[in-house]
Coordinates of all heavy atoms in Angstrom, one line a residue:
M10 N 73.1 86.5 127.7 CA 73.8 87.8 127.5 C 72.8 88.8 126.8 O 72.1 88.4 125.9 CB 75.0 87.6 126.6 CG 75.8 88.8 126.4 SD 77.3 88.7 127.3 CE 78.1 90.1 126.8
A11 N 72.8 90.0 127.3 CA 71.8 91.0 126.8 C 72.3 91.6 125.5 O 73.5 91.6 125.2 CB 71.7 92.1 127.8
D12 N 71.3 91.9 124.6 CA 71.6 92.5 123.3 C 71.8 94.0 123.6 O 70.9 94.7 123.9 CB 70.5 92.2 122.4 CG 70.7 92.9 121.0 OD1 71.8 93.3 120.8 OD2 69.7 92.9 120.2
K13 N 73.0 94.5 123.4 CA 73.4 95.9 123.7 C 72.8 96.9 122.6 O 72.7 98.1 122.9 CB 74.9 96.1 123.7 CG 75.5 95.3 124.8 CD 75.3 95.9 126.2 CE 76.0 95.1 127.2 NZ 75.8 95.4 128.5
S14 N 72.3 96.4 121.5 CA 71.7 97.3 120.5 C 70.2 97.4 120.8 O 69.6 98.2 120.1 CB 71.9 96.7 119.1 OG 71.2 95.5 118.9
N15 N 69.7 96.7 121.7 CA 68.3 96.8 122.1 C 68.0 98.1 122.9 O 68.6 98.4 123.9 CB 67.9 95.6 123.0 CG 66.5 95.6 123.3 OD1 65.8 96.6 123.2 ND2 66.0 94.4 123.7
V16 N 67.2 99.0 122.3 CA 66.9 100.3 122.9 C 66.2 100.2 124.2 O 66.5 100.9 125.2 CB 66.0 101.2 121.9 CG1 65.7 102.5 122.6 CG2 66.7 101.4 120.6
L17 N 65.4 99.2 124.4 CA 64.7 99.0 125.7 C 65.7 98.7 126.8 O 65.6 99.1 127.9 CB 63.7 97.9 125.5 CG 62.4 98.2 124.7 CD1 61.6 97.0 124.6 CD2 61.7 99.4 125.3
W18 N 66.7 97.9 126.4 CA 67.8 97.6 127.4 C 68.4 98.9 127.9 O 68.7 99.1 129.1 CB 68.8 96.7 126.7 CG 70.1 96.5 127.5 CD1 71.2 97.2 127.4 CD2 70.3 95.6 128.6 NE1 72.2 96.8 128.3 CE2 71.6 95.8 129.0 CE3 69.5 94.7 129.3 CZ2 72.1 95.1 130.1 CZ3 70.0 94.0 130.3 CH2 71.3 94.2 130.7
E19 N 68.8 99.8 126.9 CA 69.4 101.0 127.3 C 68.6 101.9 128.2 O 69.1 102.6 129.1 CB 69.7 101.8 126.0 CG 70.9 101.4 125.2 CD 72.2 101.6 126.0 OE1 72.4 102.7 126.5 OE2 73.0 100.6 126.1
K20 N 67.3 101.9 128.0 CA 66.4 102.7 128.8 C 66.0 102.2 130.2 O 65.4 102.8 131.0 CB 65.1 103.0 128.0 CG 65.4 104.0 126.9 CD 64.1 104.3 126.1 CE 64.5 105.3 125.0 NZ 63.3 105.5 124.1
H21 N 66.4 100.9 130.4 CA 66.1 100.3 131.7 C 67.3 100.1 132.6 O 67.4 99.1 133.2 CB 65.3 99.0 131.5 CG 63.9 99.2 131.0 ND1 63.7 99.5 129.7 CD2 62.8 99.3 131.6 CE1 62.4 99.6 129.5 NE2 61.8 99.5 130.7
R22 N 68.1 101.1 132.7 CA 69.3 101.0 133.5 C 68.8 101.1 135.0 O 67.9 101.9 135.3 CB 70.3 102.2 133.3 CG 71.0 101.9 132.0 CD 72.3 102.7 132.0 NE 73.0 102.4 130.8 CZ 73.5 103.3 129.9 NH1 73.3 104.5 130.2 NH2 74.1 102.9 128.9
M23 N 69.5 100.4 135.8 CA 69.1 100.5 137.2 C 70.3 101.3 138.0 O 71.4 101.1 137.7 CB 69.0 99.2 137.8 CG 67.7 98.5 137.3 SD 67.5 96.9 138.0 CE 67.1 97.3 139.7
Y24 N 69.9 102.1 138.9 CA 70.9 102.9 139.7 C 70.7 102.6 141.1 O 69.6 102.3 141.6 CB 70.6 104.4 139.5 CG 70.9 104.9 138.1 CD1 69.8 105.1 137.2 CD2 72.1 105.2 137.7 CE1 70.0 105.6 135.9 CE2 72.4 105.7 136.4 CZ 71.3 105.9 135.5 OH 71.6 106.3 134.3
L25 N 71.8 102.6 141.8 CA 71.8 102.5 143.3 C 71.1 103.7 143.8 O 71.1 104.8 143.2 CB 73.2 102.4 143.9 CG 73.9 101.1 143.5 CD1 75.4 101.2 144.0 CD2 73.3 99.9 144.2
P26 N 70.4 103.6 145.0 CA 69.7 104.8 145.6 C 70.7 106.0 145.7 O 71.8 105.8 146.2 CB 69.3 104.3 147.0 CG 69.2 102.8 146.9 CD 70.3 102.4 145.9
G27 N 70.3 107.1 145.2 CA 71.1 108.3 145.3 C 72.1 108.5 144.2 O 72.6 109.5 144.0
M28 N 72.3 107.4 143.4 CA 73.3 107.5 142.4 C 72.8 108.1 141.1 O 73.5 108.7 140.3 CB 73.9 106.1 142.0 CG 74.9 105.7 143.1 SD 76.2 106.9 143.4 CE 77.1 106.9 141.8
R29 N 71.5 108.0 140.9 CA 70.9 108.5 139.6 C 71.1 110.0 139.5 O 71.6 110.5 138.5 CB 69.4 108.2 139.6 CG 68.8 108.6 138.2 CD 67.4 108.4 138.1 NE 66.9 108.7 136.7 CZ 66.8 110.0 136.3 NH1 67.0 111.0 137.0 NH2 66.4 110.2 135.0
Q30 N 70.9 110.8 140.6 CA 71.1 112.2 140.6 C 72.5 112.5 140.2 O 72.8 113.5 139.4 CB 70.8 112.8 141.9 CG 70.7 114.3 141.9 CD 70.8 114.9 143.2 OE1 71.1 114.3 144.2 NE2 70.4 116.2 143.3
K31 N 73.5 111.7 140.7 CA 74.9 112.0 140.4 C 75.2 111.7 139.0 O 76.0 112.4 138.3 CB 75.8 111.2 141.3 CG 75.7 111.8 142.7 CD 76.6 111.1 143.7 CE 76.5 111.9 145.0 NZ 76.7 111.3 146.2
A32 N 74.6 110.6 138.5 CA 74.9 110.1 137.1 C 74.3 111.1 136.0 O 74.9 111.2 134.9 CB 74.4 108.7 136.9
V33 N 73.2 111.7 136.3 CA 72.6 112.6 135.3 C 73.1 114.0 135.2 O 72.9 114.7 134.3 CB 71.0 112.6 135.4 CG1 70.5 111.2 135.2 CG2 70.6 113.3 136.7
H34 N 73.9 114.4 136.2 CA 74.4 115.8 136.3 C 75.7 115.9 135.6 O 76.4 114.9 135.4 CB 74.5 116.3 137.7 CG 73.1 116.7 138.3 ND1 72.5 115.9 139.2 CD2 72.3 117.7 138.0 CE1 71.4 116.5 139.5 NE2 71.2 117.6 138.8
R35 N 76.0 117.1 135.3 CA 77.3 117.5 134.6 C 78.1 118.3 135.6 O 77.5 119.0 136.5 CB 77.1 118.2 133.3 CG 76.2 117.5 132.3 CD 77.0 116.4 131.7 NE 76.1 115.4 131.1 CZ 76.4 114.1 130.9 NH1 77.6 113.7 131.2 NH2 75.5 113.3 130.4
C36 N 79.4 118.4 135.4 CA 80.2 119.2 136.3 C 79.8 120.7 136.4 O 79.9 121.3 137.4 CB 81.7 119.2 135.8 SG 82.6 117.7 136.3
R37 N 79.2 121.2 135.3 CA 78.8 122.6 135.3 C 77.7 122.9 136.3 O 77.4 124.0 136.7 CB 78.4 123.1 133.9 CG 77.2 122.5 133.3 CD 77.0 123.0 131.9 NE 76.3 122.0 131.1 CZ 75.0 121.9 131.0 NH1 74.2 122.8 131.5 NH2 74.5 121.0 130.2
H38 N 77.0 121.8 136.7 CA 75.9 122.0 137.7 C 76.4 121.9 139.2 O 75.7 122.0 140.1 CB 74.8 120.9 137.5 CG 74.2 121.0 136.2 ND1 74.1 119.8 135.4 CD2 73.6 122.0 135.5 CE1 73.5 120.2 134.3 NE2 73.2 121.5 134.3
C39 N 77.7 121.6 139.3 CA 78.3 121.3 140.6 C 78.8 122.6 141.3 O 79.4 123.5 140.6 CB 79.4 120.3 140.4 SG 80.2 119.9 142.0
K40 N 78.6 122.7 142.6 CA 79.1 123.9 143.3 C 80.6 124.0 143.3 O 81.2 125.0 143.6 CB 78.5 123.9 144.7 CG 79.1 123.0 145.7 CD 78.8 123.4 147.1 CE 77.4 122.9 147.5 NZ 77.1 123.0 148.9
F41 N 81.3 122.9 143.1 CA 82.8 122.9 143.2 C 83.4 123.3 141.8 O 84.6 123.5 141.7 CB 83.3 121.5 143.6 CG 82.9 121.1 144.9 CD1 82.0 120.0 145.1 CD2 83.4 121.7 146.0 CE1 81.6 119.6 146.4 CE2 83.0 121.3 147.3 CZ 82.1 120.3 147.5
F42 N 82.6 123.4 140.8 CA 83.0 123.8 139.5 C 83.0 125.4 139.4 O 81.9 126.0 139.4 CB 82.1 123.2 138.4 CG 82.7 123.3 137.0 CD1 83.7 122.5 136.6 CD2 82.2 124.2 136.1 CE1 84.3 122.5 135.4 CE2 82.7 124.3 134.8 CZ 83.8 123.5 134.5
V43 N 84.2 126.0 139.3 CA 84.3 127.4 139.4 C 85.2 128.0 138.3 O 85.9 127.2 137.7 CB 84.9 127.9 140.8 CG1 84.0 127.5 141.9 CG2 86.3 127.3 141.0
A44 N 85.1 129.3 138.1 CA 86.0 130.0 137.2 C 87.2 130.4 138.0 O 87.1 130.9 139.1 CB 85.3 131.2 136.6
I45 N 88.4 130.1 137.4 CA 89.6 130.4 138.0 C 90.3 131.5 137.2 O 90.6 131.3 136.1 CB 90.6 129.2 138.1 CG1 89.9 128.1 138.9 CG2 91.9 129.5 138.7 CD1 90.6 126.7 138.9
K46 N 90.3 132.7 137.8 CA 90.7 133.9 137.1 C 92.2 134.2 137.2 O 92.7 134.4 138.3 CB 89.9 135.1 137.6 CG 89.9 136.4 136.8 CD 88.9 137.4 137.3 CE 89.0 138.7 136.7 NZ 89.7 138.9 135.5
G47 N 92.8 134.2 136.1 CA 94.3 134.6 136.1 C 94.4 136.0 135.6 O 93.4 136.7 135.4
K48 N 95.7 136.4 135.3 CA 95.9 137.7 134.9 C 95.4 138.0 133.5 O 94.8 139.0 133.2 CB 97.4 138.0 134.8 CG 98.0 138.7 136.0 CD 99.4 139.1 135.7 CE 100.0 139.7 137.0 NZ 101.4 139.9 136.9
L49 N 95.6 137.0 132.6 CA 95.2 137.2 131.2 C 94.0 136.4 130.8 O 93.3 136.8 129.8 CB 96.4 136.8 130.3 CG 97.7 137.5 130.5 CD1 98.8 137.0 129.6 CD2 97.5 139.0 130.2
E50 N 93.7 135.3 131.4 CA 92.5 134.5 131.0 C 91.9 133.9 132.2 O 92.4 133.8 133.3 CB 93.0 133.5 130.0 CG 94.0 132.5 130.5 CD 94.3 131.4 129.5 OE1 93.4 131.0 128.7 OE2 95.5 131.0 129.5
T51 N 90.7 133.4 132.0 CA 89.9 132.7 133.0 C 89.6 131.3 132.5 O 89.2 131.1 131.4 CB 88.6 133.5 133.2 OG1 88.9 134.8 133.7 CG2 87.7 132.8 134.3
K52 N 90.0 130.3 133.3 CA 89.7 128.9 133.0 C 88.7 128.3 134.0 O 88.6 128.9 135.1 CB 91.0 128.1 133.0 CG 91.9 128.5 131.9 CD 93.2 127.6 131.9 CE 94.1 128.0 130.7 NZ 95.3 127.1 130.7
Y53 N 88.2 127.2 133.7 CA 87.3 126.5 134.7 C 88.0 125.4 135.3 O 88.9 124.8 134.7 CB 86.0 126.1 133.9 CG 85.1 127.3 133.6 CD1 85.1 127.9 132.4 CD2 84.2 127.7 134.6 CE1 84.4 129.0 132.1 CE2 83.4 128.8 134.3 CZ 83.5 129.5 133.1 OH 82.7 130.5 132.8
G54 N 87.6 125.1 136.5 CA 88.2 123.9 137.2 C 87.4 123.5 138.4 O 86.4 124.2 138.8
C55 N 87.8 122.4 139.0 CA 87.1 121.9 140.1 C 87.9 122.1 141.4 O 89.1 121.7 141.4 CB 86.9 120.4 139.9 SG 86.3 119.5 141.3
V56 N 87.3 122.6 142.4 CA 88.1 122.9 143.7 C 87.8 121.9 144.8 O 88.1 122.2 145.9 CB 87.8 124.4 144.1 CG1 88.4 125.4 143.2 CG2 86.4 124.6 144.4
V57 N 87.2 120.8 144.5 CA 86.9 119.8 145.5 C 88.1 119.3 146.3 O 88.0 118.9 147.4 CB 86.0 118.7 145.0 CG1 86.8 117.7 144.2 CG2 85.2 118.0 146.1
S58 N 89.3 119.3 145.6 CA 90.5 118.8 146.2 C 91.1 119.8 147.1 O 92.1 119.4 147.9 CB 91.5 118.4 145.1 OG 91.8 119.5 144.3
I59 N 90.7 121.0 147.1 CA 91.2 122.0 148.1 C 90.4 121.9 149.4 O 89.2 122.0 149.4 CB 91.0 123.4 147.5 CG1 91.8 123.6 146.2 CG2 91.5 124.5 148.5 CD1 91.7 124.9 145.5
K60 N 91.2 121.6 150.4 CA 90.6 121.2 151.7 C 89.5 122.1 152.2 O 88.4 121.7 152.6 CB 91.7 121.0 152.8 CG 91.3 120.2 153.9 CD 92.5 120.0 154.9 CE 91.9 119.8 156.3 NZ 93.0 120.1 157.3
A61 N 89.8 123.4 152.2 CA 88.9 124.4 152.7 C 87.6 124.4 151.9 O 86.5 124.6 152.5 CB 89.5 125.8 152.6
Y62 N 87.6 124.2 150.6 CA 86.4 124.2 149.8 C 85.8 122.8 149.8 O 84.5 122.7 149.9 CB 86.7 124.6 148.4 CG 87.2 126.0 148.2 CD1 88.4 126.3 147.6 CD2 86.5 127.1 148.8 CE1 88.9 127.6 147.4 CE2 87.0 128.4 148.7 CZ 88.2 128.7 148.0 OH 88.6 129.9 147.9
G63 N 86.6 121.8 149.7 CA 86.0 120.4 149.7 C 85.3 120.0 150.9 O 84.3 119.3 150.9
N64 N 85.8 120.5 152.1 CA 85.1 120.2 153.4 C 84.0 121.3 153.7 O 83.5 121.2 154.8 CB 86.1 120.2 154.5 CG 87.1 119.1 154.3 OD1 86.9 118.2 153.6 ND2 88.2 119.2 155.0
L65 N 83.8 122.2 152.8 CA 82.8 123.3 152.9 C 83.1 124.1 154.2 O 82.2 124.7 154.8 CB 81.4 122.7 153.0 CG 81.0 121.9 151.8 CD1 79.6 121.3 152.0 CD2 81.0 122.7 150.5
E66 N 84.4 124.3 154.5 CA 84.8 125.2 155.6 C 84.7 126.6 155.1 O 84.5 127.5 155.9 CB 86.3 124.9 156.0 CG 86.4 123.5 156.7 CD 87.9 123.1 156.7 OE1 88.8 123.9 156.5 OE2 88.1 121.9 157.1
K67 N 84.9 126.8 153.8 CA 84.9 128.2 153.3 C 83.8 128.2 152.2 O 83.5 127.2 151.5 CB 86.2 128.4 152.5 CG 87.1 129.5 153.2 CD 88.4 129.6 152.4 CE 88.8 131.0 152.2 NZ 90.1 131.1 151.5
R68 N 83.1 129.4 152.1 CA 82.1 129.5 151.0 C 82.8 129.5 149.7 O 84.0 130.0 149.5 CB 81.5 130.9 151.2 CG 80.3 131.1 150.3 CD 79.8 132.6 150.4 NE 80.7 133.5 149.9 CZ 80.7 133.9 148.6 NH1 79.9 133.3 147.7 NH2 81.6 134.8 148.1
I69 N 82.2 128.8 148.7 CA 82.8 128.7 147.4 C 82.3 129.7 146.5 O 81.1 129.7 146.1 CB 82.5 127.3 146.8 CG1 83.0 126.2 147.8 CG2 83.2 127.1 145.5 CD1 82.4 124.8 147.5
P70 N 83.1 130.7 146.1 CA 82.7 131.8 145.2 C 82.6 131.3 143.8 O 83.3 130.3 143.5 CB 83.7 132.9 145.4 CG 84.9 132.2 145.9 CD 84.5 130.9 146.6
P71 N 81.8 131.9 142.9 CA 81.8 131.4 141.5 C 83.0 131.7 140.8 O 83.4 131.0 139.8 CB 80.6 132.2 140.9 CG 80.3 133.3 141.9 CD 80.8 133.0 143.2
V72 N 83.8 132.7 141.2 CA 85.1 133.0 140.5 C 86.2 133.1 141.6 O 86.0 133.8 142.6 CB 85.0 134.4 139.8 CG1 86.3 134.7 139.1 CG2 83.9 134.4 138.8
I73 N 87.3 132.4 141.4 CA 88.3 132.4 142.4 C 89.6 132.9 141.7 O 90.0 132.4 140.7 CB 88.6 131.0 143.0 CG1 87.3 130.5 143.7 CG2 89.7 131.0 144.0 CD1 87.4 129.1 144.2
P74 N 90.3 133.9 142.3 CA 91.6 134.3 141.7 C 92.6 133.2 141.8 O 92.7 132.5 142.8 CB 92.0 135.5 142.5 CG 90.8 135.9 143.3 CD 90.0 134.7 143.5
V75 N 93.4 133.0 140.7 CA 94.3 131.9 140.6 C 95.3 132.0 141.7 O 95.8 130.9 142.3 CB 95.0 131.9 139.2 CG1 95.9 133.0 139.0 CG2 95.7 130.6 139.0
I76 N 95.7 133.2 142.2 CA 96.7 133.4 143.2 C 96.2 132.8 144.5 O 97.0 132.2 145.3 CB 97.1 134.8 143.3 CG1 98.4 135.0 144.1 CG2 96.1 135.7 144.0 CD1 99.6 134.5 143.3
E77 N 94.9 132.8 144.8 CA 94.4 132.2 146.0 C 94.5 130.7 146.0 O 94.8 130.1 147.1 CB 92.9 132.6 146.2 CG 92.4 132.3 147.6 CD 91.0 132.8 147.8 OE1 90.7 133.9 147.4 OE2 90.2 132.0 148.3
I78 N 94.3 130.1 144.9 CA 94.5 128.7 144.8 C 95.9 128.3 144.9 O 96.3 127.3 145.6 CB 93.9 128.2 143.4 CG1 92.3 128.3 143.5 CG2 94.2 126.7 143.2 CD1 91.6 127.9 142.3
I79 N 96.8 129.0 144.3 CA 98.3 128.7 144.4 C 98.7 128.9 145.8 O 99.5 128.0 146.3 CB 99.1 129.6 143.4 CG1 98.8 129.3 142.0 CG2 100.6 129.5 143.7 CD1 99.3 130.2 141.0
K80 N 98.2 129.9 146.6 CA 98.6 130.0 148.0 C 98.2 128.8 148.8 O 98.9 128.4 149.7 CB 97.9 131.3 148.5 CG 98.6 132.6 148.3 CD 97.9 133.7 149.1 CE 98.2 135.0 148.5 NZ 97.3 136.0 149.0
Q81 N 97.0 128.3 148.5 CA 96.5 127.2 149.3 C 97.0 125.8 148.9 O 97.3 125.0 149.8 CB 94.9 127.1 149.2 CG 94.3 128.3 149.8 CD 92.8 128.1 149.9 OE1 92.3 127.1 150.2 NE2 92.1 129.2 149.5
V82 N 97.2 125.5 147.6 CA 97.6 124.2 147.2 C 98.8 124.1 146.3 O 99.2 123.1 145.9 CB 96.4 123.4 146.6 CG1 95.4 123.1 147.6 CG2 95.8 124.2 145.4
G83 N 99.4 125.3 146.0 CA 100.6 125.3 145.1 C 100.2 125.1 143.6 O 99.1 124.9 143.3
L84 N 101.3 125.0 142.8 CA 101.1 124.8 141.4 C 100.6 123.4 141.0 O 99.8 123.3 140.1 CB 102.4 125.1 140.6 CG 102.8 126.6 140.6 CD1 104.2 126.8 140.0 CD2 101.8 127.4 139.8
E85 N 101.0 122.4 141.8 CA 100.5 121.1 141.5 C 99.0 121.0 141.8 O 98.3 120.3 141.1 CB 101.3 120.1 142.4 CG 102.6 119.7 141.9 CD 103.4 118.7 142.7 OE1 102.7 117.9 143.5 OE2 104.6 118.7 142.7
G86 N 98.6 121.6 142.9 CA 97.2 121.6 143.2 C 96.4 122.3 142.2 O 95.3 121.9 141.8
L87 N 97.0 123.4 141.6 CA 96.3 124.2 140.6 C 96.1 123.3 139.3 O 95.0 123.2 138.7 CB 97.1 125.4 140.2 CG 96.5 126.3 139.1 CD1 95.1 126.8 139.4 CD2 97.5 127.4 138.7
D88 N 97.2 122.5 139.0 CA 97.1 121.6 137.9 C 95.9 120.6 138.1 O 95.2 120.3 137.1 CB 98.4 120.8 137.7 CG 99.4 121.6 136.8 OD1 98.9 122.6 136.2 OD2 100.5 121.2 136.7
K89 N 95.9 120.1 139.3 CA 94.8 119.1 139.6 C 93.4 119.7 139.4 O 92.5 119.1 138.9 CB 95.0 118.7 141.1 CG 94.4 117.3 141.4 CD 94.8 116.9 142.8 CE 94.0 115.7 143.2 NZ 94.2 115.4 144.6
C90 N 93.3 121.0 139.9 CA 92.0 121.7 139.7 C 91.6 121.9 138.2 O 90.5 121.7 137.9 CB 92.0 123.1 140.4 SG 92.2 123.1 142.1
L91 N 92.6 122.2 137.4 CA 92.4 122.5 136.0 C 92.2 121.2 135.2 O 91.7 121.3 134.0 CB 93.5 123.3 135.4 CG 93.6 124.8 136.0 CD1 94.8 125.5 135.5 CD2 92.3 125.6 135.7
K92 N 92.5 120.1 135.8 CA 92.3 118.8 135.0 C 90.8 118.6 134.8 O 90.4 118.0 133.8 CB 92.9 117.6 135.8 CG 94.3 117.4 135.4 CD 94.9 116.2 136.1 CE 96.4 116.1 135.8 NZ 97.1 115.3 136.8
C93 N 90.0 119.0 135.7 CA 88.5 118.8 135.6 C 87.9 120.1 135.1 O 87.3 120.8 135.8 CB 87.9 118.4 136.9 SG 88.6 117.0 137.7
S94 N 88.2 120.4 133.8 CA 87.8 121.7 133.3 C 86.6 121.6 132.3 O 86.2 122.6 131.8 CB 89.0 122.4 132.7 OG 89.5 121.6 131.6
D95 N 86.2 120.4 132.0 CA 85.1 120.2 131.0 C 83.8 120.3 131.7 O 83.4 119.5 132.5 CB 85.3 118.8 130.4 CG 84.2 118.6 129.3 OD1 83.4 119.5 129.0 OD2 84.1 117.4 128.8
P96 N 83.0 121.4 131.4 CA 81.7 121.6 132.0 C 80.7 120.5 131.7 O 79.7 120.3 132.4 CB 81.2 123.0 131.5 CG 82.1 123.3 130.3 CD 83.3 122.5 130.4
E97 N 81.0 119.8 130.6 CA 80.0 118.7 130.1 C 80.4 117.3 130.6 O 79.7 116.4 130.3 CB 79.9 118.7 128.6 CG 79.3 120.0 128.0 CD 77.9 120.3 128.6 OE1 77.1 119.3 128.7 OE2 77.6 121.4 128.8
A98 N 81.5 117.3 131.4 CA 81.9 116.0 132.0 C 80.9 115.4 132.9 O 80.2 116.2 133.6 CB 83.2 116.1 132.6
Q99 N 80.7 114.1 133.0 CA 79.7 113.5 133.9 C 80.2 113.7 135.3 O 81.4 113.6 135.6 CB 79.6 112.0 133.6 CG 78.5 111.4 134.4 CD 78.2 110.0 133.9 OE1 78.8 109.5 133.0 NE2 77.3 109.3 134.7
S100 N 79.3 114.0 136.2 CA 79.6 114.3 137.6 C 80.3 113.1 138.3 O 80.0 112.0 137.9 CB 78.4 114.8 138.3 OG 77.4 113.8 138.3
C101 N 81.0 113.4 139.3 CA 81.7 112.4 140.1 C 80.9 112.1 141.4 O 79.9 112.8 141.6 CB 83.1 112.8 140.4 SG 83.3 114.1 141.6
G102 N 81.5 111.3 142.2 CA 80.8 110.9 143.5 C 80.7 112.1 144.5 O 80.0 112.0 145.4
K103 N 81.5 113.1 144.2 CA 81.5 114.3 145.2 C 80.6 115.4 144.7 O 80.6 116.5 145.3 CB 82.9 114.8 145.3 CG 83.8 113.8 146.0 CD 85.2 114.2 146.0 CE 86.1 113.1 146.7 NZ 87.5 113.3 146.4
F104 N 79.8 115.1 143.7 CA 78.9 116.1 143.1 C 78.0 116.7 144.2 O 77.5 116.0 145.1 CB 78.0 115.5 142.0 CG 77.0 116.5 141.5 CD1 77.3 117.4 140.5 CD2 75.7 116.4 142.0 CE1 76.4 118.2 140.0 CE2 74.8 117.3 141.5 CZ 75.1 118.2 140.5
S105 N 77.8 118.0 144.1 CA 76.9 118.7 145.0 C 76.3 119.9 144.2 O 77.0 120.6 143.6 CB 77.6 119.2 146.2 OG 76.8 119.9 147.1
T106 N 74.9 120.0 144.3 CA 74.3 121.0 143.5 C 74.6 122.4 144.0 O 74.9 122.6 145.2 CB 72.7 120.9 143.5 OG1 72.3 120.6 144.8 CG2 72.3 119.7 142.6
K107 N 74.6 123.4 143.1 CA 74.9 124.8 143.4 C 73.9 125.3 144.3 O 72.7 125.0 144.3 CB 75.1 125.6 142.2 CG 76.3 125.3 141.4 CD 76.5 126.3 140.3 CE 77.9 126.0 139.6 NZ 78.1 126.7 138.4
Ligands
SF4_100 S1 81.2 116.7 139.7 FE1 83.1 116.1 140.7 S2 84.7 116.6 139.2 FE2 82.8 117.7 138.6 S3 83.0 119.7 139.5 FE3 81.8 118.5 141.0 S4 83.3 117.6 142.4 FE4 84.5 118.4 140.6

């Protein structure tokens, strides 16, 4: 069993091909991470679950009005978008650079 307090062990992690880039990035570097502008405030969220943006059928603007998201996916979809609002969160498997 490896000693987890060993610094050398920590620095010799192995990644599957292509996974290193995803593991080192944060949500704020991802093209799906956008500002969602409401009437009174602007929040950040991830629009990968919205079909038009997730499939890259539509260009992803840096700021999207909240009403456009509600029209496409409703309030539940908006909640889902706002769940991934931490810009420092580790990127997921759908990460794509801006
Ligand atoms: S890394 Fe994943 S969770 Fe984060 S913004 Fe991109 S698609 Fe969304």
Side-chain angles (χ1 to χ4, degrees):
M10 182 110 177
D12 179 9
K13 299 285 181 184
S14 64
N15 184 340
V16 178
L17 289 175
W18 168 264
E19 280 294 312
K20 290 183 179 173
H21 287 83
R22 286 205 177 126
M23 291 179 71
Y24 294 98
L25 291 171
M28 282 308 292
R29 187 182 184 284
Q30 190 195 14
K31 290 181 172 152
V33 298
H34 282 110
R35 303 285 161 203
C36 280
R37 69 185 148 92
H38 300 128
C39 179
K40 76 163 77 166
F41 299 111
F42 193 75
V43 297
I45 300 171
K46 190 172 173 19
K48 260 187 184 173
L49 300 176
E50 62 179 326
T51 300
K52 292 183 176 180
Y53 287 94
C55 170
V56 293
V57 77
S58 59
I59 299 174
K60 201 176 152 199
Y62 296 127
N64 295 344
L65 301 177
E66 292 164 9
K67 249 178 138 177
R68 189 183 69 84
I69 303 166
V72 181
I73 301 177
V75 70
I76 197 73
E77 191 175 314
I78 291 179
I79 293 172
K80 273 185 201 166
Q81 291 188 48
V82 290
L84 289 173
E85 280 181 24
L87 176 63
D88 271 350
K89 201 173 171 187
C90 292
L91 293 174
K92 272 185 188 159
C93 305
S94 61
D95 181 8
E97 294 303 319
Q99 190 172 352
S100 59
C101 72
K103 292 173 184 166
F104 175 84
S105 180
T106 46
K107 285 186 180 176

